[in-house]
Amino acid sequence: MNFIELTELNGKKFIGNINLLQRVFTTSNGKTGVVGWNNNGYFEVEESYEEVIDKIKARLAGVNRLK
């Protein structure tokens, strides 16, 4: 499975399977939002859009790290 670690705005870290991630986007207030992992709607994370995409690309390329 392909997991990445992200941080919610409240500082809580979580690990999610990228195969279940539906969408990554930038909100109107400039925060990064993610949809998926059985959450209702979306939630914002501390990482930038680019950081989230880089984590996904690295994991798909075979990098075996969560961060």
Side-chain angles (χ1 to χ4, degrees):
M1 293 192 168
N2 294 314
F3 293 95
I4 59 171
E5 181 180 272
L6 297 174
T7 307
E8 295 181 49
L9 292 181
N10 61 10
K12 290 185 178 180
K13 294 192 179 286
F14 67 94
I15 297 171
N17 184 335
I18 61 173
N19 296 324
L20 302 176
L21 180 62
Q22 296 172 0
R23 186 166 55 135
V24 178
F25 61 97
T26 303
T27 65
S28 60
N29 62 358
K31 301 289 185 183
T32 302
V34 293
V35 176
W37 297 314
N38 294 325
N39 60 330
N40 293 325
Y42 74 95
F43 59 96
E44 295 176 347
V45 295
E46 289 185 2
E47 291 83 2
S48 70
Y49 175 86
E50 291 79 12
E51 289 172 325
V52 174
I53 297 302
D54 286 346
K55 286 182 179 192
I56 293 169
K57 286 180 180 177
R59 188 62 192 114
L60 290 175
V63 176
N64 197 12
R65 297 181 351 192
L66 292 176
K67 292 185 179 183

